[in-house]
Amino acid sequence: DRFMRIVPWLDLAGFAFLFPQGPFRILSEKDQVQYAWAISTPEKSDPAGREASLSALERMVETLPADLRRDPRRTFLLGHSQGGYLALHALLRRPDLFAGAVSLGGRMNPTLARRDLAGARGRAALLLHGEKDDLIPLSASEEALALLIEGGARAELRRYSEVGHWPTRTMYTDAGTWIRERLEKP
């Protein structure tokens, strides 16, 4: 529910929005319930959790109700942090389902990305990253950008000088503008 507030910032009227929730329930440092796509820390990753979440996301999109009339040429993923990771990897793994992806403060797993790199060809990707991100360094998005371009994606990285790990309204507005521009091109 907390991500519903970004819909007006995206300014994408006439679209259906899905906000899938990560399957792992965790408590934050402030004892707030949060949901994650994997149980990972900077010291230890959770490849099995990420793989399970990625497969679940793909199945969810494949089985959307017919009344949503999902058109892969008009279906974009947008995710923050672990959600950005999932968005970029889903784009590579399932180019038949998605036209593009936006990652806000995310990263990619280079080994997995290279395995699926053929799926990048012709896909669109936007990486937005705060230069003051103390959780995921800007270099992670720079590495993801290089991988996407290597695979033939039309990818770009935008840096935000005064932004940390949490995306700003400006970043979401930029993401919406970027998606609209992709949809307006023949």
Side-chain angles (χ1 to χ4, degrees), residues 23-112:
F24 301 104
R25 186 176 180 204
I26 59 173
L27 286 177
S28 72
E29 293 174 4
K30 297 177 183 177
D31 289 333
Q32 295 174 320
V33 174
Q34 296 180 331
Y35 294 88
W37 293 103
I39 306 297
S40 58
T41 65
E43 300 81 33
K44 184 177 184 223
S45 69
D46 179 16
R50 289 180 193 266
E51 182 62 32
S53 291
L54 189 53
S55 295
L57 175 66
E58 293 165 357
R59 279 192 309 279
M60 183 197 74
V61 172
E62 287 175 322
T63 59
L64 286 173
D67 62 334
L68 290 179
R69 294 185 293 269
R70 184 184 52 79
D71 179 352
R73 295 166 301 168
R74 299 179 59 79
T75 302
F76 286 79
L77 297 157
L78 182 147
H80 168 243
S81 197
Q82 288 183 350
Y85 173 99
L86 256 61
L88 294 174
H89 280 283
L91 179 67
L92 296 184
R93 277 182 37 161
R94 296 301 304 271
D96 59 313
L97 294 179
F98 308 109
V102 178
S103 171
L104 299 104
R107 64 171 15 135
M108 294 183 82
N109 176 310
T111 303
L112 294 179

Side-chain angles (χ1 to χ4, degrees), residues 1-185:
D1 290 343
R2 67 188 182 112
F3 289 107
M4 294 287 289
R5 68 181 166 80
I6 72 166
V7 171
W9 301 347
L10 293 169
D11 191 24
L12 293 168
F15 287 84
F17 293 89
L18 300 172
F19 296 97
Q21 179 174 281
F24 301 104
R25 186 176 180 204
I26 59 173
L27 286 177
S28 72
E29 293 174 4
K30 297 177 183 177
D31 289 333
Q32 295 174 320
V33 174
Q34 296 180 331
Y35 294 88
W37 293 103
I39 306 297
S40 58
T41 65
E43 300 81 33
K44 184 177 184 223
S45 69
D46 179 16
R50 289 180 193 266
E51 182 62 32
S53 291
L54 189 53
S55 295
L57 175 66
E58 293 165 357
R59 279 192 309 279
M60 183 197 74
V61 172
E62 287 175 322
T63 59
L64 286 173
D67 62 334
L68 290 179
R69 294 185 293 269
R70 184 184 52 79
D71 179 352
R73 295 166 301 168
R74 299 179 59 79
T75 302
F76 286 79
L77 297 157
L78 182 147
H80 168 243
S81 197
Q82 288 183 350
Y85 173 99
L86 256 61
L88 294 174
H89 280 283
L91 179 67
L92 296 184
R93 277 182 37 161
R94 296 301 304 271
D96 59 313
L97 294 179
F98 308 109
V102 178
S103 171
L104 299 104
R107 64 171 15 135
M108 294 183 82
N109 176 310
T111 303
L112 294 179
R114 283 202 170 82
R115 181 191 73 192
D116 298 324
L117 213 48
R121 183 149 316 283
R123 301 292 117 204
L126 176 64
L127 296 88
L128 308 174
H129 209 110
E131 290 182 353
K132 293 187 176 181
D133 191 331
D134 60 350
L135 197 59
I136 297 178
L138 175 61
S139 60
S141 278
E142 292 169 339
E143 181 180 33
L145 176 69
L147 287 165
L148 291 163
I149 290 172
E150 178 184 327
R154 297 180 319 274
E156 68 176 281
L157 170 62
R158 296 184 189 171
R159 297 164 179 84
Y160 295 80
S161 62
E162 296 301 315
V163 176
H165 186 63
W166 296 101
T168 64
R169 182 178 186 154
T170 299
M171 292 169 79
Y172 284 114
T173 300
D174 290 351
T177 299
W178 181 87
I179 291 170
R180 244 186 347 275
E181 289 169 355
R182 305 282 111 21
L183 294 171
E184 289 168 358
K185 292 180 179 178

